[in-house]
Amino acid sequence: HVQLVESGGGSVQAGGSLRLSCAASGYTFSSVCMAWFRQAPGKEREGVAVINSHDDGPRYADSVKGRFTISKDNVKLTLYLQMNSLQPEDTATYYCAAGPSAGCGSLDPTYFPAWGQGTQVTVS
């Protein structure tokens, strides 16, 4: 049974930073594709960043490129999202997701069958 639990959300002023964490269990963490998504009220879920099982070539949405960094620790079984230079438009609920390693690189939410419950990020 796959479990993903996000933490690290909160409220921050524009220009500030936050680091989100996603603790994973129930599968072989190092061999899957993992990603961060976000959803603001009234908007569709948006892919933010994705990282493959080899930790190479992460992909980012254009809106966060240069500000956000996705990484993972295969020993701690944890996915991270370091968010710098946060802006009000980054306000959303952030979700981590896990999917098959084959074809990893998509920011399409339908590619990912496993999801966490989300953590709220508010930038003012």
Side-chain angles (χ1 to χ4, degrees), residues 13-67:
Q13 291 188 335
S17 298
L18 284 173
R19 187 176 81 155
L20 305 183
S21 299
C22 172
S25 62
Y27 64 97
T28 305
F29 179 80
S30 61
S31 63
V32 301
C33 183
M34 298 203 70
W36 287 99
F37 289 80
R38 66 186 181 185
Q39 190 166 19
K43 294 189 177 181
E44 292 187 354
R45 190 162 295 191
E46 173 192 21
V48 173
V50 59
I51 189 167
N52 63 25
S53 58
H54 303 293
D55 298 348
D56 58 2
R59 285 189 60 214
Y60 298 92
D62 288 343
S63 57
V64 307
K65 211 171 284 185
R67 300 188 298 124

Side-chain angles (χ1 to χ4, degrees), residues 74-95:
N74 290 334
V75 174
K76 295 182 178 179
L77 308 183
T78 302
L79 179 73
Y80 301 101
L81 185 69
Q82 177 66 43
M83 305 186 295
N84 299 328
S85 302
L86 283 161
Q87 300 301 317
E89 52 266 34
D90 295 316
T91 295
T93 300
Y94 283 71
Y95 301 88

Side-chain angles (χ1 to χ4, degrees), residues 4 21 39 69-70 73 86-87 99 103 105 113 120:
L4 300 171
S21 299
Q39 190 166 19
T69 302
I70 187 171
D73 186 324
L86 283 161
Q87 300 301 317
Q120 178 67 35

